[in-house]
Amino acid sequence: MDKSDPAILGDVVLLGGGHAQIAVLKMFAMKPIAGIRLTLVTNDMRTPYSGMLPGFVEGVWDDDDLHIDLATLAQFAGARIIHAPCTGIDADHKRLLFDHRPSLRFDVLSVNIGGQSALDTIDGAMDHAIPVKPIAQFQHRLENVLLAGKKHSLSVIGGGAAGCELALALSKRWVTETGKRPELRLFSRSHRLMPHMASRAGKLIEADLKAIGAHIHKGAEVTSIHANGLSCRDGQTYDFDACFLVSAVKPPSWLASSAIECDKNGFIRVGQNLQSLSHPYIFASGDIASLHPYSRPKAGVFAVRAGRILAQNLQRYIKHQSLRSWKPQSRYLALIGTADGAAIAARGSFGFKAHYLWRLKVWIDQRFMDKYKSLAMPPTPKIDALDAINADEGKHSDPAFAAMRCLGCGAKTGHETLQNAMREAVSIAVDMGADPNLMPDDSLEEDAASLPSPAPNMRILQSVDMLSEIVSDPFKLGQIASVHAFSDIYAMLGKPLYSLAIINLNEAKISIQTNQLTQILAGALLAHSKAGVKLVGGHTSEGGSLSVGFSVTGIRPERDAYTPAPKDAVIILTKPIGTGLVMAGHMQLKARGDWITSATDTMCMSNHQAAKIAIEHGIEWVTDITGFGLARHVINLATRAGAKGCYLYPDDIIPLPGAQFMADNGIVSSLAGQNQAAVRLDHNGCDQHRTPLLFDPQTSGGLAMLAKPEQADHILAALVAAGHQPAIVGRITHSKTGITLSPKDTG
């Protein structure tokens, strides 16, 4: 038995990707603990660095500068990532709760989810104000305000450092966008600006605001906000075109029912070691935590500084070592940008302004971000190709010589291996006395079998498919494996009815294995239910890597004979392609989180509706695009339909987000070489930059169907209405063999 990977003995779950949590991911990447599995649960695949938000608003930073990609960081740390909103914590039973997926067990939990804007403290704020948190929504709404134009009267509610810095940044952005400063009002409940900082710093920021013509309302409590104006407690009202709210934060409402001890405002009470005062296996940091006995403002600087202590204490807790205490500084250096190339430094009773301080802030912010963005996987040990015995092997296309093997459907055995092995095995078996009539066909043109049925005018369909851990979320993996397995039946224009599961689990303690299997099966059963398929049994095993598969039985009406495809039939593809490229990029820390999300969503999308549309339009020739790639599958489809080959239009193929980027940067799946070697390809003068898409192994890819040209528009419209992204990607030909690339349909 392979014991290179130790059994999983503990689950450490990180809820939220805040400033402290990213430090935990980085430390566990540098110092992993054998037997510990790390899981990140997050609403967002990117986390913003709040210290750079005013610079983003001002126009100094762009969106990518502002964000850390959590999918990349989790991959670097070897952590699973679950992209789903948590809706509760069952602290006593060590479970995270969700609305639309099973609960997730943990042995140790770290919470760093930040807070929500306290919009309920001002009437109308929910409907008419633009809160700064969550930052992703703020960015979107700010962009909408800018695009709308003619928004020249702005109000900012909040006289702390964040509100003052935002007001200055907004004014600078308006100058850049419109050529003139907005009419700006700043409302502060306190009678001085930045009341938690040095008086001198407050006076400096007030002078900067007055210099840009801002109207400053100190000691002004905003009580209500309506569509185009706000009211203060003193009865004064003020109009605005857009209102920005920098308010206090509050915890999510569900935290109150978690049984975790919280302070009077609902934040998790933790000691100096960041450990919950009521549940020692739960830690919290950042805005969501209330540090006892040292209360500190809800500021990102404290979350950043808590990161190192949190990471160390999680590791110390797991190892049963004493935890470190942390006393955050009461006097700390704050750098507040003033949107004029300078910054104000505030520490204790000290405050001054200088241009070099802005350069210092830029350097500090970039240095912090680089720690989490400039990541690289450890060099893969060089494979000794053993040239003395492998000199004649196709090392350029054989995945055994690849530094990193494919996952998902790309993990299937290659076309050449299957064909050669089947042919030789049949020959051996017949020579040894096996009945030739019971031997399988060595052809690879069908992924599923069509068998006689006792029922009149029906055929039984059978197929089996298995996936490696192409996504780390076990619930999603169960969905994808199911949808992928059903596709073989849909490609035969049949209806799947029953399935048997084939699941191999990692070695782990029983409670971990149980929850892992529950997650997989719950995702699978959801996909089964949507398809009208009943899971009737199966087999589970353990050891080695995780894999999930299904043997599927379905039916299809009997046909007397297939009608040859029209000579001018076009090829319609129902989904974008590029899952192999994107996931290969993810393994090498090159794929963005939103690209991973798009690829995962595509893999979760069933081909049920696409097959139904094909049947409704009388389509007979269909295949699904899986591990052998688009080119191999469509050439099989064309030759089965009686054609010699096909033209493909590479510029009309829709790639998944990020897929072409990977191809352009030389990142391909390890099976791509075999796929390309199995196809005769004529580039026909076309640019070769899209060639990798043709041979990329797909997991749960779309259907390719042959249709009459006059049907195409109706089929495309029906597919779009069903939520697909279809395209005409080629046509068959009866004059040329293999695949010929064409920039357009040349007729």
Side-chain angles (χ1 to χ4, degrees):
M1 182 179 294
D2 180 11
K3 298 294 290 184
S4 58
D5 292 326
I8 302 169
L9 303 178
D11 269 323
V12 175
V13 175
L14 310 179
L15 176 58
H19 297 348
Q21 218 87 286
I22 59 176
V24 174
L25 287 165
K26 187 75 177 284
M27 177 171 279
F28 271 80
M30 300 292 100
K31 298 179 180 179
I33 300 176
I36 290 297
R37 180 171 62 186
L38 198 61
T39 302
L40 173 66
V41 178
T42 176
N43 284 356
D44 303 298
M45 293 294 263
R46 303 189 306 161
T47 188
Y49 177 42
S50 59
M52 295 173 74
L53 180 62
F56 167 81
V57 173
E58 180 185 343
V60 174
W61 309 115
D62 63 24
D63 183 67
D64 285 338
D65 294 327
L66 180 65
H67 287 90
I68 294 167
D69 195 292
L70 293 175
T72 300
L73 186 56
Q75 177 72 8
F76 178 71
R80 300 188 301 175
I81 187 164
I82 292 176
H83 184 198
C86 175
T87 55
I89 301 174
D90 183 349
D92 294 336
H93 297 94
K94 298 184 177 181
R95 298 265 173 169
L96 291 188
L97 308 178
F98 305 86
D99 283 343
H100 303 295
R101 55 179 295 140
S103 63
L104 181 73
R105 71 171 302 282
F106 60 81
D107 293 294
V108 182
L109 175 67
S110 177
V111 185
N112 182 204
I113 54 176
Q116 304 171 346
S117 293
L119 300 179
D120 52 358
T121 59
I122 302 176
D123 290 342
M126 180 75 72
D127 297 322
H128 305 297
I130 300 174
V132 172
K133 292 187 178 182
I135 289 176
Q137 292 182 22
F138 167 77
Q139 287 181 272
H140 178 69
R141 296 184 68 179
L142 173 63
E143 187 66 23
N144 287 342
V145 170
L146 290 166
L147 290 173
K150 298 181 180 179
K151 303 287 187 181
H152 301 304
S153 176
L154 308 180
S155 291
V156 176
I157 302 173
C164 293
E165 198 171 9
L166 176 64
L168 290 167
L170 285 169
S171 182
K172 178 64 177 296
R173 182 66 172 271
W174 252 250
V175 171
T176 302
E177 297 286 339
T178 69
K180 63 179 182 179
R181 292 198 182 274
E183 180 185 343
L184 181 68
R185 294 184 181 275
L186 177 73
F187 296 86
S188 172
R189 294 179 64 179
S190 172
H191 289 278
R192 74 177 181 91
L193 299 183
M194 301 198 305
H196 298 293
M197 294 185 177
S199 174
R200 170 67 177 160
K203 291 177 180 177
L204 287 169
I205 203 90
E206 184 171 349
D208 283 326
L209 286 163
K210 288 180 177 178
I212 63 169
H215 304 280
I216 303 170
H217 302 269
K218 293 183 287 187
E221 182 181 354
V222 177
T223 55
S224 66
I225 304 173
H226 44 90
N228 296 108
L230 58 81
S231 300
C232 295
R233 189 166 296 281
D234 62 5
Q236 295 293 315
T237 61
Y238 303 91
D239 293 336
F240 60 72
D241 292 320
C243 178
F244 298 89
L245 178 62
V246 186
S247 68
V249 296
K250 66 175 185 177
S253 58
W254 51 258
L255 190 58
S257 60
S258 67
I260 304 172
E261 183 177 339
C262 296
D263 68 8
K264 63 180 182 180
N265 296 313
F267 296 100
I268 298 174
R269 295 189 73 206
V270 297
Q272 290 178 253
N273 49 22
L274 302 179
Q275 191 177 36
S276 163
L277 298 184
S278 59
H279 294 77
Y281 45 82
I282 295 177
F283 293 74
S285 55
D287 286 356
I288 200 65
S290 174
L291 189 65
H292 178 79
Y294 302 107
S295 177
R296 292 291 182 266
K298 304 293 185 185
V301 62
F302 294 114
V304 169
R305 293 178 181 179
R308 184 169 59 90
I309 299 296
L310 175 65
Q312 291 176 352
N313 279 350
L314 286 171
Q315 295 214 342
R316 285 173 173 266
Y317 179 82
I318 292 165
K319 296 176 180 178
H320 204 60
Q321 299 172 349
S322 59
L323 305 185
R324 292 189 58 191
S325 293
W326 177 54
K327 181 180 178 181
Q329 297 166 284
S330 58
R331 295 164 60 91
Y332 63 93
L333 177 65
L335 295 173
I336 301 101
T338 52
D340 57 359
I344 295 170
R347 187 176 189 273
S349 59
F350 169 81
F352 78 101
K353 178 180 176 178
H355 282 81
Y356 81 83
L357 290 173
W358 171 251
R359 294 192 294 272
L360 175 62
K361 176 174 171 55
V362 168
W363 179 81
I364 291 171
D365 289 343
Q366 287 182 319
R367 184 169 175 264
F368 173 78
M369 296 297 276
D370 283 345
K371 289 195 302 182
Y372 301 104
K373 298 180 80 168
S374 300
L375 304 173
M377 294 296 283
T380 304
K382 187 176 180 181
I383 296 174
D384 185 350
L386 304 176
D387 289 338
I389 59 176
N390 290 316
D392 297 329
E393 298 289 338
K395 288 182 284 188
H396 68 286
S397 61
D398 191 330
F401 297 96
M404 196 172 293
R405 298 293 287 266
C406 291
L407 294 175
C409 192
K412 73 193 295 180
T413 309
H415 152 259
E416 186 178 355
T417 302
L418 284 174
Q419 191 173 62
N420 291 343
M422 183 66 75
R423 186 179 294 121
E424 188 171 356
V426 167
S427 176
I428 292 171
V430 170
D431 288 346
M432 296 179 68
D435 185 347
N437 295 320
L438 296 179
M439 294 297 99
D441 185 353
D442 68 355
S443 168
L444 296 177
E445 294 182 354
E446 291 282 1
D447 291 324
S450 173
L451 308 172
S453 168
N457 302 318
M458 297 298 290
R459 299 284 291 180
I460 295 174
L461 307 179
Q462 287 189 328
S463 178
V464 63
D465 244 312
M466 182 168 252
L467 299 181
S468 300
E469 194 177 4
I470 191 168
V471 296
S472 59
D473 181 341
F475 181 71
K476 291 286 188 183
L477 181 61
Q479 291 184 56
I480 293 169
S482 302
V483 168
H484 181 75
F486 300 156
S487 284
D488 284 342
I489 305 299
Y490 293 135
M492 300 183 75
L493 301 178
K495 175 177 174 54
L497 296 175
Y498 304 102
S499 82
L500 296 168
I502 314 157
I503 301 174
N504 185 73
L505 299 169
N506 313 101
E507 291 182 77
K509 67 181 184 183
I510 292 174
S511 58
I512 290 176
Q513 273 193 344
T514 300
N515 189 249
Q516 174 94 324
L517 185 57
T518 299
Q519 297 274 334
I520 292 168
L521 289 175
L525 291 174
L526 181 64
H528 276 61
S529 176
K530 289 181 179 178
V533 179
K534 185 177 180 64
L535 181 67
V536 294
H539 178 75
T540 57
S541 56
E542 72 167 7
S545 59
L546 175 65
S547 60
V548 181
F550 296 92
S551 174
V552 185
T553 300
I555 57 171
R556 184 192 69 193
E558 184 69 85
R559 288 198 185 100
D560 293 333
Y562 283 90
T563 304
K567 292 185 181 298
D568 57 351
V570 296
I571 303 168
I572 296 176
L573 181 63
T574 65
K575 284 187 186 182
I577 61 173
T579 57
L581 285 159
V582 172
M583 301 315 289
H586 183 44
M587 292 172 69
Q588 298 182 44
L589 308 182
K590 304 296 184 184
R592 292 178 7 181
D594 55 334
W595 298 348
I596 305 301
T597 299
S598 294
T600 301
D601 290 345
T602 296
M603 290 187 285
C604 285
M605 186 175 191
S606 173
N607 285 323
H608 180 199
Q609 287 298 319
K612 182 179 178 182
I613 289 167
I615 293 170
E616 290 172 349
H617 287 81
I619 301 297
E620 294 186 47
W621 299 102
V622 180
T623 189
D624 59 335
I625 311 301
T626 53
F628 295 147
L630 175 65
R632 177 69 188 174
H633 282 293
V634 296
I635 193 64
N636 282 349
L637 180 64
T639 54
R640 280 167 43 208
K644 283 188 176 181
C646 59
Y647 285 93
L648 285 180
Y649 315 144
D651 290 339
D652 292 335
I653 295 168
I654 302 175
L656 283 166
Q660 189 61 56
F661 175 87
M662 296 303 160
D664 292 343
N665 285 274
I667 298 171
V668 296
S669 299
S670 58
L671 197 62
Q674 282 196 73
N675 287 344
Q676 185 162 358
V679 174
R680 180 188 176 280
L681 179 66
D682 180 359
H683 284 95
N684 193 29
C686 289
D687 190 327
Q688 299 185 26
H689 80 289
R690 288 222 166 189
T691 301
L693 288 170
L694 306 180
F695 302 104
D696 185 46
Q698 302 302 288
T699 298
S700 190
L703 297 182
M705 60 183 75
L706 303 184
K708 298 175 183 178
E710 59 268 24
Q711 291 179 292
D713 287 344
H714 297 290
I715 293 173
L716 292 174
L719 288 167
V720 169
H724 289 267
Q725 283 184 273
I728 298 174
V729 298
R731 64 179 177 85
I732 64 173
T733 175
H734 293 266
S735 59
K736 294 190 67 172
T737 58
I739 289 178
T740 303
L741 300 187
S742 174
K744 59 181 179 180
D745 188 354
T746 58

